[in-house]
Amino acid sequence: MALSSAALSSAFEYAPAPESRSVVDIAPSYGLFIDGEFTEAADGKVFKTVSPSTEEVLSEVARAGTADVDRAVQAARKAFTKWSALPGSERAKYLFRIARIIQERSRELAVLETLDNGKPIKETRDADLPLVAAHFFYYAGWADKLDHAGFGANPRPLGVAGQVIPWNFPLLMLAWKIAPALATGNTVVLKPAETTPLSALFFADICRQAGLPKGVVNILPGYGDAGAALVEHPDVNKVAFTGSTAVGKAIARSVAGTDKKVTLELGGKGANIVFDDAPVDQAVEGIVTGIFFNQGQVCCAGSRLLVQESVQEEVLDALKRRLSTLRLGDPLDKNTDIGAINSAEQLARIQKLVETGEAEGAERWSPACELPTSGYWFAPTLFTGVTQAHTVARDEIFGPVLSVLSFRTPDEAVAKANNTQYGLSAGIWTEKGSRILAVANKLRAGVVWANTFNKFDPTSPFGGYKESGYGREGGRHGLEAYLAPSSPEGKR
């Protein structure tokens, strides 16, 4: 007997498949990690970190202040002398050890990241953690080959690197920054985001487990004041920041006139361009990955969809059908596609920008979606009828919100894609290799994906143009920001 569509749907409902929380042991409180030891903040201040999906308090964490930043920088400066003098092959051993420990503890770290960040476990397990280990393995391989990296003979480390990372990929952004810094002989003071400090503190424990010398890596959970103190500290030689364009501009102003080397990886408003010959089902999967991965809280998200006019209706119909199958809910469930927004503050920003889009006349659509009663949630959302003048086409929303525009010719697609203050990412969907190359060469974006989106590899450099920042992380290019060709004793 034939089953009705309703019966088929019922027959293939997903049963809950939660990952166990028991694999990670979160302590009631954590200190700052300075000179190889966990310690209280100088002024005794603490803050709570909560799980975005439940609003449950996970732990109490020491809050770094100016005095703590100074103490950590001094520890890093002291450790720099011996660390930078080690042969590259010896530094590589520590990086390889860290990479292996990350792999061994990957299940624990994936659950921890999902609890503290809100993203689905299948993303932390299958994307974040493999990439974290891969970055340490990759830069371990470079540690004894710096003379051959193309940055001159006998390149020298800069000294102390002050690094400030965001909350959307806490452990991955840590790896992007710490791995090349250590491989090149620098020491590190890193400030994780205040909403996601736990994986960085677990990484501090990994450093001790790997036997990393004291002071080589220091972790300072805290708020913006701690980040500003770190950036402005006179004994910091290198500043690396990933985060908002507004904060990036403030950092650029604060280091202007100093000899600090700076890399900034900032916001984006990436264009995902679908031509009329693109394989629609494949393109739809790439569109979904481009904007709904990590709830759209990705700097290089494909948040502007540019569809050739002749296939716009077909693509939108297929996209809406696909969105109706996404599963939103418990991030620890292995079936979940859409997790929680990272914080109440970020949720309020998304809601405000979406309301602005509606007020300006764009048409909003979301699939039928029941949101959990606790935590911070936002349903996947499309805006159609969007013009380049709409706020939702210009401002970075940093949420699961896609703005759809149309174009008729490749030149119009390029013009619309480049009509933004950002320049971090773009995607092209077409079966013609010649079109991919022609369009990619005209796009003002740091990374351009062809018939895919949000694919990362430690061997490939990443970074932006315009208000998306400057400098590159990843690949051979990622070494340059931590090296000075002829720099004695870590001074530029």
Side-chain angles (χ1 to χ4, degrees):
M1 185 178 88
L3 290 172
S4 68
S5 59
L8 279 171
S9 174
S10 161
F12 289 100
E13 284 295 321
Y14 283 83
E19 175 62 275
S20 174
R21 286 188 57 165
S22 64
V23 301
V24 59
D25 183 19
I26 302 176
S29 63
Y30 288 93
L32 313 174
F33 186 68
I34 300 175
D35 203 20
E37 304 293 338
F38 286 99
T39 178
E40 293 181 1
D43 58 11
K45 288 184 178 180
V46 296
F47 65 97
K48 291 178 171 60
T49 184
V50 304
S51 178
S53 61
T54 62
E55 300 177 67
E56 160 202 1
V57 174
L58 296 173
S59 188
E60 189 175 76
V61 179
R63 177 178 172 176
T66 303
D68 304 303
V69 170
D70 188 58
R71 191 157 45 116
V73 172
Q74 287 182 28
R77 174 58 60 195
K78 181 181 176 183
F80 173 72
T81 303
K82 289 185 178 179
W83 179 251
S84 61
L86 284 178
S89 57
E90 290 300 310
R91 291 197 302 272
K93 291 178 183 177
Y94 288 103
L95 287 165
F96 277 124
R97 200 173 301 152
I98 288 170
R100 287 195 296 271
I101 293 170
I102 288 169
Q103 287 184 320
E104 291 164 4
R105 298 179 62 175
S106 62
R107 187 180 178 199
E108 170 195 7
L109 293 168
V111 172
L112 177 74
E113 198 83 312
T114 288
L115 285 171
D116 207 20
N117 171 276
K119 66 173 70 179
I121 185 68
K122 68 180 182 181
E123 292 183 10
T124 57
R125 178 196 64 194
D126 299 341
D128 292 25
L129 263 300
L131 279 170
V132 170
H135 272 82
F136 279 97
F137 276 124
Y138 175 73
Y139 282 110
W142 268 115
D144 63 347
K145 305 173 186 68
L146 298 178
D147 285 347
H148 311 288
F151 305 119
N154 193 30
R156 312 285 293 180
L158 298 171
V160 176
Q163 303 175 330
V164 181
I165 60 173
W167 45 259
N168 57 339
F169 292 91
L171 198 54
L172 182 56
M173 293 299 99
L174 175 151
W176 277 26
K177 289 173 171 54
I178 289 183
L182 298 192
T184 49
N186 298 275
T187 53
V188 168
V189 180
L190 179 134
K191 192 201 87 68
E194 62 268 23
T195 60
T196 53
L198 294 183
S199 56
L201 292 167
F202 271 56
F203 180 79
D205 183 58
I206 288 172
C207 290
R208 294 205 300 189
Q209 190 179 345
L212 193 71
K214 292 183 177 183
V216 172
V217 169
N218 304 272
I219 308 289
L220 299 182
Y223 284 71
D225 57 333
L230 179 58
V231 167
E232 295 167 4
H233 197 286
D235 209 20
V236 165
N237 305 100
K238 153 72 182 167
V239 173
F241 172 77
T242 297
S244 73
T245 294
V247 175
K249 288 180 177 179
I251 289 173
R253 286 191 293 267
S254 72
V255 301
T258 73
D259 64 352
K260 294 177 182 177
K261 203 166 185 176
V262 182
T263 49
L264 301 174
E265 197 263 284
L266 310 176
K269 194 71 178 175
N272 214 352
I273 306 169
V274 179
F275 286 96
D276 57 5
D277 63 338
V280 172
D281 290 340
Q282 182 183 344
V284 165
E285 291 304 311
I287 294 163
V288 169
T289 299
I291 184 58
F292 300 115
F293 179 71
N294 196 16
Q295 298 71 255
Q297 298 168 138
V298 184
C299 52
C300 56
S303 53
R304 288 182 298 148
L305 175 61
L306 305 183
V307 189
Q308 196 149 17
E309 200 173 87
S310 59
V311 294
Q312 183 178 13
E313 186 175 342
E314 179 187 2
V315 170
L316 281 177
D317 287 346
L319 180 58
K320 287 180 178 180
R321 286 196 303 271
R322 181 67 178 93
L323 293 189
S324 298
T325 69
L326 294 179
R327 295 175 294 276
L328 180 148
D330 179 9
L332 280 176
D333 192 318
K334 298 163 192 171
N335 296 319
T336 295
D337 299 301
I338 306 287
I341 302 302
N342 181 253
S343 66
E345 179 185 10
Q346 183 58 26
L347 178 59
R349 171 178 167 78
I350 295 168
Q351 290 169 333
K352 181 179 179 182
L353 285 166
V354 166
E355 288 166 5
T356 299
E358 288 186 287
E360 292 177 350
E363 184 178 343
R364 177 182 176 181
W365 181 90
S366 291
C369 188
E370 184 178 345
L371 301 181
T373 54
S374 61
Y376 316 123
W377 304 90
F378 198 86
T381 298
L382 296 181
F383 273 110
T384 53
V386 177
T387 72
Q388 295 177 89
H390 279 102
T391 300
V392 292
R394 297 195 321 267
D395 289 6
E396 184 180 37
I397 299 173
F398 222 63
V401 182
L402 178 64
S403 298
V404 184
L405 301 92
S406 65
F407 67 91
R408 291 184 177 179
T409 67
D411 285 344
E412 183 184 357
V414 169
K416 285 186 174 180
N418 287 339
N419 186 21
T420 173
Q421 71 266 38
Y422 299 109
L424 193 56
S425 68
I428 303 169
W429 297 86
T430 175
E431 67 172 14
K432 296 182 177 68
S434 58
R435 178 179 282 167
I436 290 169
L437 295 174
V439 172
N441 283 332
K442 296 173 184 175
L443 293 175
R444 193 66 172 160
V447 58
V448 180
W449 286 289
N451 293 327
T452 188
F453 210 94
N454 273 342
K455 296 295 183 183
F456 296 96
D457 189 282
T459 67
S460 178
F462 182 88
Y465 295 100
K466 298 187 285 188
E467 292 194 10
S468 290
Y470 48 80
R472 294 293 180 265
E473 294 181 300
R476 181 185 64 83
H477 303 71
L479 298 165
E480 184 177 13
Y482 292 93
L483 291 171
S486 55
S487 177
E489 299 303 322
K491 297 293 184 179
R492 296 187 65 220

